[in-house]
Amino acid sequence: MRIAATIFLTDETITPVRLAQELEQRGFAGLYLPEHTHIPVSRATPYPGGGPLPPEYGRTLDALGALSAAAAVTRTLELGTAITLVAQHDPIVLAKQIATLDHLSGGRFTLGIGFGWNREEAADHGVAWERRRASVRDRMAVMRALWAPEPTGHSGDFASVQASHAHPKPAGGTVRTLVGGAAGPRTFSQVTGYADGWMPIGGGGLAEALPQLLAAWQEAGRGPKDPVVVPTAVHPSAGKLARLGDLGVEEAIVQLPTAGPDEVLRTLDDYAQYL
């Protein structure tokens, strides 16, 4: 199994440059980063993990900027988001940013797609909360139109683009996309509608969820390949990773602590046993 890592990188943690170099030197497969543009102090939306919101949520580095720095000092390390809040982005700008990063890194980028949990953050971006999944679907259609080999347009309720010249293109012609979210028809309709697979949190419950995902995939006429499943924020153990492997999972993203270099590197040394 390929083991990648995720972390809340902030202005107070290990830097993306140091972390990327250490990951590649140790043989980890990739680096995936989350994003929050800001956290309104009203804190009207409860933290999904319960209790106070960890301070790193309001200090995260811009994921694409940090990954660009990581790309510049690595050669094989894969780079991705876990996740990008697509509804909060201008899709034309985001398509350009992603295509540029993928082009410059030699095709190493994976887009993890999320729908968010913080209503007040999304509201500042003008997101209609109850329709954010439809908005993401539209935005992804715009991005794929801009990544197409020939000028292609898209007209939607939430986002549109004229047929346009747009370069660079992603290195492989497109970008691997994984939809994050809890198991169920709502998430799986997004996966089967426009993505390459699913990015569940933690990896629990996959034995029950994977047959549902595969059935939805086949019903949507996707194939011949099965959907990619890449669990993120995994707190690893030998037994947990073995169970994921038995389910056909070929890549897992392990959680690193939001900390400085010493603690993060100690954790990497511990996790090296799973490589």
Side-chain angles (χ1 to χ4, degrees):
M1 181 181 294
R2 299 166 62 251
I3 305 294
T6 187
I7 182 175
F8 275 89
L9 285 180
T10 78
D11 54 327
E12 299 178 326
T13 65
I14 189 172
T15 68
V17 165
R18 177 75 185 278
L19 177 58
Q21 291 172 322
E22 296 286 351
L23 286 168
E24 186 167 83
Q25 289 169 8
R26 286 168 168 77
F28 285 84
L31 171 62
Y32 290 76
L33 299 180
E35 74 160 0
H36 283 280
T37 54
H38 66 300
I39 299 294
V41 297
S42 63
R43 296 295 305 112
T45 306
Y47 172 48
L53 182 70
E56 57 263 30
Y57 278 76
R59 305 191 74 105
T60 54
L61 301 183
D62 174 75
L64 296 179
L67 291 170
S68 296
V73 296
T74 55
R75 293 293 175 266
T76 61
L77 188 73
E78 295 182 9
L79 310 160
T81 56
I83 48 62
T84 296
L85 297 167
V86 173
Q88 297 182 183
H89 287 265
D90 179 319
I92 298 173
V93 175
L94 184 60
K96 173 71 79 172
Q97 293 170 320
I98 289 173
T100 298
L101 175 53
D102 194 65
H103 169 74
L104 293 176
S105 68
R108 290 188 275 152
F109 183 74
T110 292
L111 174 64
I113 300 165
F115 306 101
W117 58 268
N118 192 323
R119 287 175 178 255
E120 52 269 29
E121 177 187 358
D124 283 346
H125 287 280
V127 176
W129 186 255
E130 299 302 330
R131 302 195 67 193
R132 68 194 188 281
R133 288 177 175 81
S135 176
V136 168
R137 190 183 293 263
D138 240 1
R139 282 166 163 75
M140 289 303 304
V142 165
M143 292 163 63
R144 290 200 182 279
L146 292 167
W147 295 335
E150 299 296 331
T152 304
H154 172 76
S155 179
D157 293 335
F158 297 92
S160 300
V161 68
Q162 302 174 54
S164 303
H165 297 293
H167 293 269
K169 303 298 183 185
T174 189
V175 170
R176 185 174 76 154
T177 57
L178 305 173
V179 170
R186 188 165 60 176
T187 295
F188 293 160
S189 70
Q190 299 280 337
V191 174
T192 61
Y194 57 81
D196 301 301
W198 181 34
M199 183 182 278
I201 295 176
L206 288 188
E208 297 77 22
L210 289 180
Q212 301 171 30
L213 173 59
L214 186 58
W217 189 262
Q218 294 170 342
E219 185 176 335
R222 298 291 302 271
K225 294 183 179 179
D226 289 344
V228 178
V229 177
V230 182
T232 188
V234 174
H235 293 276
S237 68
K240 181 182 292 185
L241 294 175
R243 288 192 294 274
L244 291 175
D246 290 343
L247 292 171
V249 171
E250 297 180 352
E251 179 182 358
I253 306 171
V254 296
Q255 183 69 57
L256 296 175
T258 301
D262 290 347
E263 183 176 350
V264 170
L265 297 184
R266 281 196 300 269
T267 304
L268 287 182
D269 289 339
D270 181 44
Y271 287 176
Q273 65 183 295
Y274 305 122
L275 299 178

